[in-house]
Amino acid sequence: ERIMPNIPRAEPLLDELKVFIGCVEGTNSSLIKPSQAVLVTKIAEAALESANKRMPVFISEEWSND
């Protein structure tokens, strides 16, 4: 017999927006550092550039300074 845990389904984007709004309003603390957010954005931009060019895009190590 298969037993499935009763885990409520969540909408990840909605949850993310709620946390962001809480940070802006001052009711939540940020889960990540601003430098981490910048790094993730740069990685996402590099991934898009790589996909558009159909070539590898290398990320410099200086981006990871934290």
Side-chain angles (χ1 to χ4, degrees):
E1 181 179 340
R2 195 174 192 189
I3 300 173
M4 298 295 289
N6 186 13
I7 301 173
R9 291 190 174 247
E11 179 58 44
L13 183 56
L14 179 60
D15 290 344
E16 184 178 336
L17 288 171
K18 287 178 182 178
V19 170
F20 174 76
I21 290 169
C23 289
V24 171
E25 294 175 338
T27 57
N28 292 347
S29 60
S30 179
L31 301 175
I32 62 167
K33 298 176 189 175
S35 61
Q36 293 171 317
V38 169
L39 179 59
V40 168
T41 301
K42 289 181 179 184
I43 292 170
E45 288 173 345
L48 290 172
E49 180 183 348
S50 177
N52 288 333
K53 291 182 175 180
R54 297 179 187 256
M55 294 178 60
V57 172
F58 298 95
I59 300 172
S60 112
E61 288 183 28
E62 65 192 41
W63 287 6
S64 64
N65 290 341
D66 193 2

